[in-house]
Amino acid sequence: MKSDHRILRGPCLTEKANIQLEVHGKVVFKVDPKANKIEIKKAVEKMFDVKVKNVHTTNMHGKQKRVGSFTGMTNDWKKAYVTLSEGEINFADQL
């Protein structure tokens, strides 16, 4: 079984994620690409003491970057939209 800290890589602190939190009560996390929805749900409930209603995931493809004449790619990653039914997570207080 994977550690909760390995499943949840960190919060996704973007403007879109902030709007999702305020309007719909969804928190956005960067997660391990191999993690499934059940593992993500258990990890969020255990780490933050909240009740999770629903989890939606999406795979984000890495972007092509260029440094001088060399081109490369950033890593692919996975994003999880976690809908909370009870409790709240506020990352602004923890910064």
Side-chain angles (χ1 to χ4, degrees):
M1 182 174 181
K2 299 176 193 171
S3 167
D4 296 334
H5 296 286
R6 289 187 182 212
I7 293 172
L8 298 178
R9 300 265 171 99
C12 187
L13 301 175
T14 60
E15 188 173 346
K16 181 180 177 182
N18 192 23
I19 293 169
Q20 290 287 330
L21 178 62
E22 292 173 359
V23 176
H24 302 290
K26 293 183 182 182
V27 183
V28 184
F29 291 100
K30 293 178 183 177
V31 297
D32 181 33
K34 295 180 182 177
N36 59 29
K37 293 180 182 184
I38 298 168
E39 292 173 340
I40 295 168
K41 179 180 178 179
K42 288 180 183 177
V44 170
E45 287 179 345
K46 185 176 177 185
M47 287 182 71
F48 297 104
D49 277 340
V50 294
K51 284 288 189 180
V52 174
K53 181 180 179 182
N54 204 350
V55 176
H56 292 280
T57 59
T58 181
N59 289 313
M60 306 299 291
H61 297 289
K63 296 180 179 179
Q64 187 175 18
K65 297 289 184 177
R66 181 177 161 187
V67 177
S69 62
F70 299 102
T71 59
M73 296 286 289
T74 59
N75 293 336
D76 295 341
W77 55 286
K78 193 173 195 176
K79 187 189 297 187
Y81 292 93
V82 179
T83 306
L84 302 176
S85 62
E86 291 181 14
E88 104 179 11
I89 301 172
N90 191 358
F91 296 111
D93 295 339
Q94 298 175 359
L95 294 177

